[in-house]
Amino acid sequence: MTQEVLLTLKGLQFDQREEDSDQIETVVVGDYYKKNDRHYVLYEEMMEGFGQATKNRLKFSEHMLEISRSGLVNVHMVFQENKKNLTSYNTPFGQILIGIDTKKIQIEEGQENIVVDVDYALDVNYEFLSDCHITINIASKPSSSFSLS
């Protein structure tokens, strides 16, 4: 795995009250490293309508994923199999208390990519919002060499 990676985040929410589900996909370039048997990915994200970037850090190992965001949005989310974690999600529009009840974390590690799949239930202010699934694909960034003919 190279240090510079292409990160694809796909999120899917299943709302119990509606038949349709919402899927969100983000693709960004980031930096990857591994330290003490834990994987790290660092990347920045811009929110539409704001000039300030949000710094993101993914940290994961077997059965655990942490997502930390700082800047315009501030949150530290912890996903641990068969455990519910509460956190405060701070946005420019206010603060929200969210609960993350993680059902499953699966990590598949290849030579040129890593895929992290997480199934969890999401609560907002102690009320169930939806069942969710996130897939994180971390792939070595292809070299940008090309030739003119």
Side-chain angles (χ1 to χ4, degrees), residues 11-30:
L12 189 60
Q13 290 186 341
F14 303 97
D15 192 331
Q16 301 297 333
R17 300 167 297 228
E18 299 178 18
E19 291 186 24
D20 293 335
S21 55
D22 295 328
Q23 182 163 353
I24 300 166
E25 182 173 329
T26 303
V27 179
V28 295
V29 173

Side-chain angles (χ1 to χ4, degrees), residues 60-104:
F60 60 94
S61 58
E62 191 175 0
H63 307 296
M64 187 180 80
L65 166 67
E66 292 181 46
I67 300 175
S68 298
R69 304 180 77 195
S70 63
L72 192 59
V73 172
N74 293 289
V75 67
H76 181 162
M77 296 180 285
V78 179
F79 301 81
Q80 291 176 285
E81 267 189 354
N82 303 313
K83 187 171 182 186
K84 184 173 186 175
N85 289 294
L86 297 175
T87 190
S88 183
Y89 199 107
N90 298 303
T91 74
F93 309 106
Q95 182 176 320
I96 304 167
L97 180 65
I98 61 173
I100 301 166
D101 188 3
T102 307
K103 309 298 181 198
K104 178 190 81 155

Side-chain angles (χ1 to χ4, degrees), residues 1-7 32 110-114 137-143:
M1 177 81 74
T2 61
Q3 180 181 351
E4 192 173 33
V5 294
L6 199 57
L7 178 69
Y32 166 83
Q111 191 158 345
E112 294 298 318
N113 79 317
I114 301 170
N137 187 352
I138 305 148
S140 293
K141 186 173 180 222
S143 62

Side-chain angles (χ1 to χ4, degrees), residues 30-57:
D31 292 316
Y32 166 83
Y33 64 96
K34 187 174 182 179
K35 183 178 179 183
N36 299 328
D37 292 326
R38 293 181 189 215
H39 302 269
Y40 296 83
V41 179
L42 307 172
Y43 66 97
E44 288 191 359
E45 190 175 18
M46 295 296 293
M47 288 182 69
E48 198 172 316
F50 294 93
Q52 180 183 357
T54 298
K55 293 182 181 184
N56 297 277
R57 183 189 74 186

